[in-house]
Amino acid sequence: MFRRLFKAIGEYVLLLGKVISKPQKMQVFMKLLMREIYDLGVNSFGLVLFTSFFVGAVVAIQMFNNFSASSFPIPLSFIGYATKVVLVLEFSPTIISVILAGKVGSYIASSIGTMRVTEQIDALDIMGVNSPNFLILPKIFASVIFNPLLIAISISVGIWGGHIAGIVTKNWTEADYITGIQMYMPSFFIWYAFLKTAVFAFLIATIPAYFGYNVKGGSLEVGRASTQAVVWTIVSIIICDLLLTQMLLS
């Protein structure tokens, strides 16, 4: 098992070595980049908005229940503050990235895997095209550029979802919630969230690309590679989340 794991890591690193190089034609690269931004980022807007709104509402309600059950009186304004901090530090960067790993990762692995089994990648190699650079680099740039925007939208929509939850349940006032949102939070938390997002975006783009690029067989193997890509991307995100939290917040 460990031998296969280390072999896969080595192949992944070697593939990245081919990916990270100057594109052969910048005009073609920019065209591919715009297409990948649409496919990987814009098409994920709806899922991110829906998930963030309802989870923001759930987080706010849970904070209210926990504060109400406390033996010490806690101002209701802390509901807004706690919701904001939870969304910034953990939910939006990590959970949304895990969701994107499932949606975007399966798309990347299946699309590149289909090109592999239909010998389109072999055709690119025969024509002298650096196929890893041509296929994977635009996806990396698209994810690293656009995912932080998705996370920023997720934080905003999640906070708004908590605000709407207060209006619907009437457990806290709008003034209390807004006061909590305006409470001071270290600016480093924001930088930490977007740093994590950039790292996760790189993993979401490259790990599924590795599995898709190295598919051997037919359509059945493409499906298996997509499943493996999603699983290992999520595992990598969780491990990196632990490492980054330990290094940056401890």
Side-chain angles (χ1 to χ4, degrees), residues 4-21:
R4 290 175 57 189
L5 177 61
F6 287 127
K7 180 182 177 183
I9 293 174
E11 292 175 344
Y12 172 73
V13 173
L14 291 175
L15 180 64
L16 289 182
K18 298 178 181 178
V19 170
I20 303 174
S21 61

Side-chain angles (χ1 to χ4, degrees), residues 84-105:
K84 176 180 68 174
V85 171
V86 168
L87 290 170
V88 170
L89 285 181
E90 198 58 35
F91 170 75
S92 290
T94 305
I95 306 303
I96 291 296
S97 293
V98 168
I99 293 172
L100 291 175
K103 181 181 182 298
V104 175

Side-chain angles (χ1 to χ4, degrees), residues 18 21-25 28-29 32 115-116 120-136 138 213:
K18 298 178 181 178
S21 61
K22 184 179 179 180
Q24 293 171 304
K25 291 188 178 181
V28 175
F29 172 78
L32 292 172
M115 293 185 69
R116 169 61 76 185
Q120 295 179 54
I121 295 179
D122 295 332
L124 289 173
D125 293 334
I126 291 172
M127 290 187 294
V129 177
N130 182 354
S131 58
N133 176 269
F134 180 80
L135 295 174
I136 302 174
Y213 192 84

Side-chain angles (χ1 to χ4, degrees), residues 94 97-103 200 203-204 207-208 227-241:
T94 305
S97 293
V98 168
I99 293 172
L100 291 175
K103 181 181 182 298
F200 297 161
L203 296 175
I204 290 170
I207 294 178
T227 302
Q228 288 181 319
V230 172
V231 171
W232 283 106
T233 303
I234 293 174
V235 169
S236 300
I237 287 173
I238 293 173
I239 293 173
C240 286
D241 184 31

Side-chain angles (χ1 to χ4, degrees), residues 163-175:
H163 178 67
I164 298 301
I167 294 176
V168 173
T169 62
K170 296 182 180 180
N171 288 329
W172 60 87
T173 65
E174 291 185 58

Side-chain angles (χ1 to χ4, degrees), residues 3-250:
R3 183 178 179 181
R4 290 175 57 189
L5 177 61
F6 287 127
K7 180 182 177 183
I9 293 174
E11 292 175 344
Y12 172 73
V13 173
L14 291 175
L15 180 64
L16 289 182
K18 298 178 181 178
V19 170
I20 303 174
S21 61
K22 184 179 179 180
Q24 293 171 304
K25 291 188 178 181
M26 188 58 66
Q27 185 177 0
V28 175
F29 172 78
M30 293 304 299
K31 184 178 179 180
L32 292 172
L33 176 61
M34 292 300 105
R35 188 183 70 184
E36 297 297 347
I37 286 177
Y38 179 81
D39 290 339
L40 305 183
V42 176
N43 283 342
S44 301
F45 260 123
L47 179 61
V48 170
L49 293 177
F50 178 83
T51 307
S52 301
F53 177 83
F54 284 99
V55 172
V58 169
V59 169
I61 292 172
Q62 288 180 343
M63 292 301 168
F64 170 77
N65 292 334
N66 290 333
F67 292 166
S68 300
S70 175
S71 56
F72 300 98
I74 300 176
L76 293 179
S77 59
F78 277 89
I79 295 173
Y81 175 76
T83 301
K84 176 180 68 174
V85 171
V86 168
L87 290 170
V88 170
L89 285 181
E90 198 58 35
F91 170 75
S92 290
T94 305
I95 306 303
I96 291 296
S97 293
V98 168
I99 293 172
L100 291 175
K103 181 181 182 298
V104 175
S106 60
Y107 166 77
I108 293 174
S110 60
S111 60
I112 296 180
T114 300
M115 293 185 69
R116 169 61 76 185
V117 299
T118 55
E119 300 182 351
Q120 295 179 54
I121 295 179
D122 295 332
L124 289 173
D125 293 334
I126 291 172
M127 290 187 294
V129 177
N130 182 354
S131 58
N133 176 269
F134 180 80
L135 295 174
I136 302 174
L137 189 63
K139 292 177 172 56
I140 295 175
F141 271 81
S143 294
V144 173
I145 291 171
F146 207 83
N147 280 23
L149 176 60
L150 289 177
I151 298 307
I153 293 172
S154 172
I155 294 171
S156 302
V157 172
I159 291 173
W160 183 59
H163 178 67
I164 298 301
I167 294 176
V168 173
T169 62
K170 296 182 180 180
N171 288 329
W172 60 87
T173 65
E174 291 185 58
D176 286 332
Y177 191 80
I178 293 174
T179 299
I181 293 173
Q182 294 175 339
M183 292 174 67
Y184 172 76
M185 180 183 70
S187 59
F188 177 73
F189 286 1
I190 301 294
W191 291 106
Y192 165 76
F194 285 111
L195 175 61
K196 284 207 305 184
T197 300
V199 173
F200 297 161
F202 181 82
L203 296 175
I204 290 170
T206 56
I207 294 178
Y210 160 76
F211 279 96
Y213 192 84
N214 290 284
V215 167
K216 295 179 180 178
S219 58
L220 183 61
E221 281 70 23
V222 172
R224 290 174 178 170
S226 298
T227 302
Q228 288 181 319
V230 172
V231 171
W232 283 106
T233 303
I234 293 174
V235 169
S236 300
I237 287 173
I238 293 173
I239 293 173
C240 286
D241 184 31
L242 173 62
L243 296 176
L244 290 171
T245 301
Q246 179 64 29
M247 288 188 299
L248 299 178
L249 293 185
S250 296

